[in-house]
Amino acid sequence: MPVTDVSDARAVLDGVRDLLPTFRDRADEAERLRVVPEASVKELEETGFFRLLQPRRFDGLEADPVTFYTAVRDISSACGSTGWVASVVGVHPWQVALFADEAQQAVWGHDTATRLSSSYAPTGKAVVTDGGYTLSGRWSFSSGCDHCSWVLLGGLVFNTDGQVVDFKTFMVPREHYQIVDVWNVVGLRGTGSNDIVVDEVFVPEAFTLSMSDTGRCFGPGQEQNTSDLYKLPFHSIFTGTITTPIVGMARGAYAEHVEMQQKRVRAAYLGEKASLDPFAAVRIARASSEIDAAWALLVNNIREEQEHVARGEKIPLALRLKVRRDQVLGTQRAIDAIDALFEASGGRALAEGTYLQRAWRDAHAGRVHAANDPERALQMYGAHEFGHKVDPGMY
């Protein structure tokens, strides 16, 4: 259905679920192309998916983040690469809503279907100049960049004396950056997570956002976009977009494992049906619990943050750290479930074209994302529990 007909975020979920068989059928094509097929992106656009977190004043839905995560989880259960790209591209309207109005107008003023990719690691250098910054650098892992006409890039800001004075996100239009095709990998092959190169490009002040501001849940765009949606912590919203696809992959792997075991006959055990093996039953019970726990904690924590925002309260640092604690452990729970299911599925799970082997590769590829670094997030949580000072800027 045309996006202009989407008036209810629930309709987006229905539209996404209708597409799942198609996404599953195209999973091999995505891996072969090393990018999500254009047809899949177009179909997601038509459901209104990319508008879920977009401001209403730009034809968005300002939907509940849990609705967004649910859609991502479902897409990932059919194709991990499609779910990953949908998640990281689909969350960017939320951050664009925090930029100054001039930047929002530049992105959506002429076309509210404009999409952005990103690479937030501060591998670029920005030098303060009159009215803005001169940005240069090379950034890796910009998932879905081929389907986008703007990019969000992290960079350290240097003053004229060469000292670092800030860490910002810079918004750059397609004509000012180059995409370098480097994405030849074993997992998440279909995400097209290529490099972005910028060479001495001027970025106006209005097209930047300080991470110190987002760390305190502030952005100049809140003046126009007053919804509670845009008052949630950046690192809660964005790290959830990294864990959710992996939880979705685990759900897809679980469904395929159960189906395979119901049909499987184990020759080494005198033709016994695998589904009659009591140990097989225990394995799926454990795996399903890990998957459910990862999802339940993600949803519960976002809900708890929303309650504080709705009451006009500052979100406690302890809660923000708990979000990150459960996010990294949620990723680990989902991967542990996939590993257990894969190991118990027999040799047929190794065949090309099975969801299970692809989910195993994709989930481990997603695990190496910086947002899934468990030790750092867990150390911060533990340090705070012991009463030590913790910088909330990155959490």
Side-chain angles (χ1 to χ4, degrees), residues 17-34:
R17 286 166 181 158
D18 288 342
L19 292 171
L20 298 186
T22 300
F23 292 158
R24 182 159 185 155
D25 289 343
R26 288 193 190 128
D28 284 334
E29 180 184 1
E31 290 210 317
R32 186 176 68 256
L33 295 174
R34 296 182 298 115

Side-chain angles (χ1 to χ4, degrees), residues 33-101:
L33 295 174
R34 296 182 298 115
V35 64
V36 173
E38 184 65 37
S40 296
V41 176
K42 181 179 179 181
E43 287 160 352
L44 282 174
E45 179 63 49
E46 290 173 348
T47 68
F49 169 80
F50 292 112
R51 298 172 187 261
L52 282 171
L53 301 183
Q54 193 162 309
R56 290 189 183 278
R57 69 196 191 100
F58 293 112
D59 299 330
L61 296 175
E62 293 187 9
D64 187 330
V66 174
T67 300
F68 174 75
Y69 291 144
T70 301
V72 168
R73 181 199 66 185
D74 292 349
I75 297 165
S76 303
S77 73
C79 174
S81 288
T82 304
W84 185 274
V85 169
S87 192
V88 299
V89 172
V91 76
H92 292 145
W94 182 90
Q95 189 186 18
V96 174
L98 298 180
F99 277 77
D101 187 52

